[in-house]
Amino acid sequence: MTLGRLHDEARGILDPAHYDYVAGGADRERVLADNERAFDRYALLPRVLRGSEARDTSVDLPGARRAAPVIVAPTAFHRLVHPGGERATARAAAAEGAVLVTGAAATTAVADVVAAAREAAPDPAVWFQLYPHPRREVTGALVRRAEEAGCTALVVTVDSPVFGRHARDLRNGFTDLPPGHAAENMRDLPGAPPGGLTDIPMSPAVSWRDIDEILRMTALPVLLKGVLHPQDARLAVGHGTAGVIVSNHGGRQCDAVPAAVDCLPPVVDAVGDRVPVLLDGGIRRGSDVAVARALGATAVGVGRPVVWGLAAEGEAGVRRVLATLREEYDHTLALCGGRHNADLTRDMVVRRDGTW
């Protein structure tokens, strides 16, 4: 089964409003579409006569040594699409050797997510994604929950000073989670009961001071997610973060930004080899992973395909998504004459018409 078929199966299963919540983007959804289309503008120029019978595609990431090059990007409310929710996703990611970034807006508390991952692997890598909260004590409480649960890194989303405007949700009148569902990581913290889609407050005044505070709160490595401008990538390194994730929030925030992959090379150039650079947004095939690797990404994150796999087939569907992308990537690496990830280099990426 292809990833496209998993999407189609999920669409046939889900409540249309819940499908639209996952599938939709901001405003006119131009960025949502361009994230995928952008990969069609790139082609790989293979090298020959230098391959190997077996390839090593593992990567070293903060808090996750020798991980798969495809990680599970943070997405909200997994129980909205399948009763197993984030627990099923966690078991699948751990079984496939993939980092799971569990979200602040998960419908399963982080401690239960990590416990589920440990059912599938003795030492899984689970990162916790958070938004800087307007109240410092709430941010601190979330950091402590992630630490106590056994997370190995924090991912701070920095592209959301306010919520994006999601036309599909407004059209569907979808503003609250179904009964029995909640943003469980926010339970028992100050603020509104965690039952709505926007119960995690954003902070328009979020600044580098907030990042410095988070870095002082924890000994865990901290990655910044939502970096598009190379100067912000330089600042991230200067402030002491352990990595940056080039992302436009899957097209769910600002609908006037470029495709994520188009922003990758300048960020990689700005960072150099000082910290890993990851990419999410638009990854749908193993060849997309190869293009991202050649453009300098250490690893890539996938979001919606994981949710479609979960909706269609539960834990097995998530495993299918991760295994398919990893196997397609390995196949593409072999076709490009590579033995290791580093054998994919920027000079091997050309425009689709073959021009440099």
Side-chain angles (χ1 to χ4, degrees):
M1 180 180 285
T2 65
L3 299 193
R5 286 182 62 191
L6 282 174
H7 165 263
D8 293 343
E9 185 175 337
R11 185 170 191 172
I13 292 170
L14 293 175
D15 179 302
H18 299 170
Y19 170 82
D20 277 349
Y21 172 76
V22 177
D27 296 320
R28 293 166 55 193
E29 299 187 343
R30 295 173 296 182
V31 177
L32 173 66
D34 202 32
N35 271 346
E36 291 188 46
R37 282 198 303 255
F39 283 97
D40 292 334
R41 299 196 287 267
Y42 294 100
L44 289 165
L45 196 64
R47 299 295 303 274
V48 297
L49 301 176
R50 63 176 198 172
S52 173
E53 288 291 336
R55 289 150 301 282
D56 178 9
T57 62
S58 63
V59 297
D60 287 338
L61 297 169
R65 289 186 57 80
R66 299 195 63 77
V70 179
I71 76 171
V72 178
T75 47
F77 309 139
H78 285 199
R79 288 185 59 221
L80 196 65
V81 305
H82 189 275
E86 288 84 3
R87 289 181 178 89
T89 306
R91 287 190 294 267
E96 294 296 328
V99 174
L100 166 66
V101 189
T102 190
T107 42
T108 304
V110 60
D112 295 327
V113 172
V114 175
R118 287 174 176 162
E119 295 171 9
D123 192 25
V126 179
W127 297 351
F128 182 71
Q129 175 265 339
L130 63 88
Y131 299 93
H133 196 279
R135 298 174 64 166
R136 184 181 184 277
E137 66 271 22
V138 175
T139 300
L142 289 168
V143 170
R144 288 191 297 275
R145 288 182 177 185
E147 291 173 332
E148 292 167 1
C151 291
T152 59
L154 299 178
V155 174
V156 182
T157 296
V158 293
D159 61 2
S160 303
V162 296
F163 281 103
R165 182 178 174 85
H166 299 164
R168 298 196 204 191
D169 294 342
L170 294 171
R171 183 178 66 243
N172 292 329
F174 185 51
T175 58
D176 294 308
L177 293 171
H181 295 71
E184 292 293 344
N185 290 310
M186 303 304 295
R187 192 171 292 280
D188 300 323
L189 294 177
L197 299 185
T198 58
D199 281 339
I200 299 177
M202 300 294 127
S203 177
V206 65
S207 72
W208 289 103
R209 290 190 300 274
D210 297 282
I211 303 304
D212 291 337
E213 285 191 351
I214 292 170
L215 288 165
R216 287 193 293 268
M217 289 175 182
T218 184
L220 293 176
V222 175
L223 297 88
L224 296 194
K225 180 179 184 295
V227 175
L228 296 176
H229 198 293
Q231 182 57 24
D232 287 331
R234 293 188 188 95
L235 285 168
V237 175
H239 279 258
T241 60
V244 297
I245 303 176
V246 176
S247 171
N248 55 33
H249 215 104
R252 295 174 70 85
Q253 285 298 104
C254 180
D255 198 34
V257 301
V261 69
D262 290 337
C263 299
L264 177 60
V267 169
V268 170
D269 290 343
V271 168
D273 59 1
R274 290 177 290 174
V275 300
V277 176
L278 287 73
L279 170 79
D280 74 34
I283 299 288
R284 298 295 181 267
R285 296 168 294 274
S287 58
D288 299 339
V289 182
V291 167
R293 280 286 323 184
L295 292 175
T298 303
V300 302
V302 291
R304 289 182 180 90
V306 166
V307 179
W308 304 141
L310 178 65
E313 297 181 358
E315 181 179 336
V318 177
R319 290 197 66 172
R320 186 190 299 272
V321 168
L322 296 173
T324 296
L325 288 170
R326 187 181 64 248
E327 290 163 5
E328 289 178 353
Y329 169 63
D330 178 79
H331 188 67
T332 304
L333 180 62
L335 290 171
C336 289
R339 302 182 182 193
H340 306 282
N341 296 314
D343 292 333
L344 293 170
T345 52
R346 196 179 297 183
D347 63 300
M348 297 169 64
V349 181
V350 297
R351 296 182 184 274
R352 181 58 58 178
D353 63 6
T355 61
W356 295 86

